[in-house]
Amino acid sequence: MLLVIDVGNSNTVLGLYRGEELLRSWRITTDTSRTVDENAMLIHELFRLSEFHFTDIADVIISCVVPPMLTALEGLCRQYFKLKPYIVGPGIKTGMPIQYDNPREVGADRIVNAVAAYEKWRGSLIVVDFGTATTFDYISARGEYQGGAIAPGLGISSEALFERASKLPRVEFARPPQVIAKNTVNSIQAGLFFGYVGLVDGIVARMKMEARDEPRVVGTGGLAEQIARASESIDAVDPCLTLEGLRIIYTRNTPSNQSESAPRRSQ
């Protein structure tokens, strides 16, 4: 089986594939203070609860935007899986031309999302990923990554509001009953929720104008479902887009059915 790992600034998502089938996924907190052994214990326990074992893993591919985590995960793969993992970055085949001033600056997760979205929809696309930062990425009809925009994530925005405005309470992120709210909690929710929906729709509209195109808009990440229900621009939501992109990139860098064969042991 293939273990795919997507390391974000706030959360790390793991997925276990048999061929093209996603058997199970897990979301854990990204913690750079965890050692190789601590990460191994955590993943071992997640596997055990789902009746999987380390010996089931034939290969591993990692996308990471937190460099200290990458070192720990590479150590985990070598020590516990006896594998050298594939790392999404310079030198790996993605099958997608990167039309960016410096391709090395593009976050691995953005490329992985773009690859998965284009493989699934085969047309021009805007991928909106709701994470610690919210990223907007445009892929041309020819399957070229053209660039995009980065905005503060909703969590960052709300924390800044609570920290800087001493009288405002922390509130649950939720859609309030109306924009013209009648109490403080709903007022904050209205500003956060509808303000963020407006940000998404506004950036998408400007990207479409610049591209002179009508791309499909795909949302992914933790808040994608909530925002999509109120957004006028998001056409589809795929919560597993990044995991699927990792699987696709893995297949482009290995012989067919590698994840079904005996583990590729490190030397």
Side-chain angles (χ1 to χ4, degrees), residues 13 17 22 25 113 116 219-221 237-246:
V13 183
Y17 278 91
L22 179 62
S25 65
N113 285 339
T220 191
V237 173
D238 186 341
C240 296
L241 196 66
T242 312
L243 299 183
E244 184 63 13
L246 283 167

Side-chain angles (χ1 to χ4, degrees), residues 105-122:
E105 291 180 358
V106 187
D109 54 338
R110 300 173 73 183
I111 300 302
V112 170
N113 285 339
V115 166
Y118 189 75
E119 182 74 11
K120 184 172 183 177
W121 283 285
R122 290 290 172 177

Side-chain angles (χ1 to χ4, degrees), residues 6-7 62-65 87-89 94 103-115 242 246 249:
D6 172 44
V7 183
I62 301 171
S63 166
C64 182
V65 297
I87 308 296
V88 178
T94 65
R104 293 174 180 268
E105 291 180 358
V106 187
D109 54 338
R110 300 173 73 183
I111 300 302
V112 170
N113 285 339
V115 166
T242 312
L246 283 167
I249 291 173

Side-chain angles (χ1 to χ4, degrees), residues 46-243:
L46 293 172
F47 277 21
R48 188 188 66 80
L49 292 171
S50 299
E51 299 185 343
F52 297 115
H53 307 280
F54 279 5
T55 53
D56 295 331
I57 304 304
D59 235 330
V60 181
I61 184 168
I62 301 171
S63 166
C64 182
V65 297
V66 185
M69 282 294 296
L70 186 56
T71 302
L73 290 174
E74 284 186 289
L76 179 149
C77 290
R78 291 179 183 274
Q79 185 172 334
Y80 287 92
F81 298 139
K82 309 303 180 186
L83 295 168
K84 179 181 178 182
Y86 289 89
I87 308 296
V88 178
I92 201 165
K93 300 174 185 176
T94 65
M96 177 170 284
I98 312 298
Q99 306 298 331
Y100 211 66
D101 290 345
N102 182 355
R104 293 174 180 268
E105 291 180 358
V106 187
D109 54 338
R110 300 173 73 183
I111 300 302
V112 170
N113 285 339
V115 166
Y118 189 75
E119 182 74 11
K120 184 172 183 177
W121 283 285
R122 290 290 172 177
S124 61
L125 295 149
I126 294 173
V127 178
V128 187
D129 188 353
F130 297 89
T132 304
T134 297
T135 56
F136 300 77
D137 298 297
Y138 174 64
I139 302 98
S140 72
R142 295 188 299 274
E144 301 166 330
Y145 178 87
Q146 296 286 348
I150 303 173
L154 204 143
I156 291 175
S157 301
S158 60
E159 280 301 310
L161 176 65
F162 304 142
E163 288 177 5
R164 299 298 294 271
S166 58
K167 288 190 175 183
L168 295 183
R170 280 183 168 80
V171 301
E172 177 189 4
F173 177 74
R175 180 172 183 164
Q178 58 198 58
V179 181
I180 304 175
K182 303 299 184 182
N183 58 67
T184 301
V185 169
N186 283 167
S187 293
I188 296 170
Q189 290 173 330
L192 291 173
F193 185 88
F194 293 111
Y196 218 77
V197 169
L199 179 149
V200 170
D201 288 346
I203 291 179
V204 167
R206 287 178 179 272
M207 290 178 77
K208 288 181 176 181
M209 287 175 59
E210 284 189 17
R212 298 181 182 179
D213 191 6
E214 281 298 322
R216 182 189 299 269
V217 181
V218 179
T220 191
L223 294 173
E225 291 279 3
Q226 284 180 276
I227 298 296
R229 285 193 287 268
S231 168
E232 296 178 355
S233 60
I234 297 178
D235 301 309
V237 173
D238 186 341
C240 296
L241 196 66
T242 312
L243 299 183

